[in-house]
C-alpha cells in the first residue's frame, strides 16, 4: 500500500480557485466586461416615524422627467431610465462603466399608507418621498383607568383576598419620572 503525503497548502489553493470560479459564475459582471445595464437598482433608505414613512432613493445623474414613481397602499415602485449622451467626440472610447438603460425598484411597506397624500422632492440626485400612514396603523398609547380607583387614594387591600393589593393609578407624569429614574440608576 502506497502512502500519499497530505499537502494542505495545495488543497487551499484548489479550494480558492474553485470559489473564484463559483463567484465568477454567480456575478453578472466579469472582471474584463462592463456591468450589465439591467442589473442596477437604486439604493434606498426607509425611515419610520409615528405618523409617516420617509423613503429616500439615490438616483445620481438622472433627470426628474425620466422617473416614474407609483405608490400603492402597500408598496412604492420607482422606475426610470438613464439616457446615454448623444454628442460625438473625435476621441475613441476604450472603456465605459456608466449605466444606461431602464431600471425598476419595488419597495414593500410594512403598513398601509395614504397613497393619495404622498409628498415628493428631488434634489441633487436624492429622491425623498414622505408617505403618511393610515390613522388606524399609527401606534396609539391609551391610558387605562381601573374601575373604583381614584388617583389620590393610597394602595388598599382587596376585600376578597387580604394579601392581594389593589392597583391604583398615580398621575402619569409621576409614573413616567419614576420609571426613567429607575432606569438611569
Amino acid at each position: 500500500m502506497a502512502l500519499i503525503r497530505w499537502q494542505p497548502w495545495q488543497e487551499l489553493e484548489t479550494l480558492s480557485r474553485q470559489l473564484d470560479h463559483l463567484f465568477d459564475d454567480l456575478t453578472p459582471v466579469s472582471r474584463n466586461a462592463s456591468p450589465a445595464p439591467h442589473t442596477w437598482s437604486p439604493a434606498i433608505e426607509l425611515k419610520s416615524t409615528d405618523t409617516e414613512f420617509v423613503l429616500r432613493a439615490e438616483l445620481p445623474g438622472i433627470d426628474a422627467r425620466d422617473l416614474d414613481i407609483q405608490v400603492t397602499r402597500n408598496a412604492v415602485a420607482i422606475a426610470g431610465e438613464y439616457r446615454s449622451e448623444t454628442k460625438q467626440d473625435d476621441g475613441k472610447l476604450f472603456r465605459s462603466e456608466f449605466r444606461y438603460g431602464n431600471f425598476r425598484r419595488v419597495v414593500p411597506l410594512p403598513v398601509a399608507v395614504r397613497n393619495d397624500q404622498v409628498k415628493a422632492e428631488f434634489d441633487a440626485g436624492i429622491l425623498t418621498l414622505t408617505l403618511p400612514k393610515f390613522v388606524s396603523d399609527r401606534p396609539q398609547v391609551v391610558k387605562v383607568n381601573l374601575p373604583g380607583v381614584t388617583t389620590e387614594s393610597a394602595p388598599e387591600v382587596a376585600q376578597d383576598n387580604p394579601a392581594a393589593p389593589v392597583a391604583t393609578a398615580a398621575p402619569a407624569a409621576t409614573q413616567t419620572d419614576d420609571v426613567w429614574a429607575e432606569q438611569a440608576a
Side-chain angles (χ1 to χ4, degrees):
M1 178 164 101
L3 290 175
I4 299 174
R5 188 172 186 125
W6 183 48
Q7 298 176 345
W9 300 117
Q10 186 177 13
E11 289 185 23
L12 283 175
E13 277 185 43
T14 304
L15 180 63
S16 175
R17 274 187 271 121
Q18 289 174 346
L19 286 173
D20 286 343
H21 288 299
L22 175 70
F23 285 115
D24 285 342
D25 291 342
L26 291 177
T27 57
V29 179
S30 68
R31 292 184 180 140
N32 298 327
S34 63
H38 66 281
T39 61
W40 182 84
S41 66
I44 62 125
E45 175 180 86
L46 183 63
K47 294 180 184 178
S48 177
T49 66
D50 291 340
T51 59
E52 64 191 11
F53 288 110
V54 177
L55 180 117
R56 295 177 38 168
E58 277 186 330
L59 300 163
I62 194 164
D63 291 330
R65 61 183 164 84
D66 294 330
L67 285 176
D68 179 27
I69 303 162
Q70 298 177 359
V71 180
T72 64
R73 291 182 185 233
N74 299 318
V76 176
I78 302 171
E81 180 179 2
Y82 276 104
R83 299 183 187 268
S84 62
E85 296 180 9
T86 57
K87 57 183 174 180
Q88 296 288 334
D89 288 337
D90 291 339
K92 295 181 181 178
L93 180 67
F94 289 105
R95 181 177 178 155
S96 175
E97 293 183 358
F98 286 4
R99 296 179 196 101
Y100 299 110
N102 298 327
F103 65 88
R104 181 171 175 82
R105 175 95 189 247
V106 177
V107 181
L109 299 172
V111 297
V113 296
R114 296 187 56 98
N115 59 342
D116 57 344
Q117 296 180 358
V118 174
K119 296 176 187 167
E121 294 178 26
F122 189 64
D123 185 37
I126 303 291
L127 172 68
T128 304
L129 298 175
T130 305
L131 310 154
K133 294 179 183 177
F134 268 109
V135 176
S136 63
D137 291 336
R138 293 180 187 162
Q140 295 178 343
V141 177
V142 177
K143 181 163 174 45
V144 177
N145 293 321
L146 297 174
V149 178
T150 62
T151 57
E152 293 89 25
S153 66
E156 300 174 1
V157 177
Q159 298 282 338
D160 298 339
N161 184 0
V166 175
T168 60
T174 306
Q175 286 179 339
T176 307
D177 293 340
D178 291 342
V179 170
W180 291 113
E182 289 175 13
Q183 289 180 353

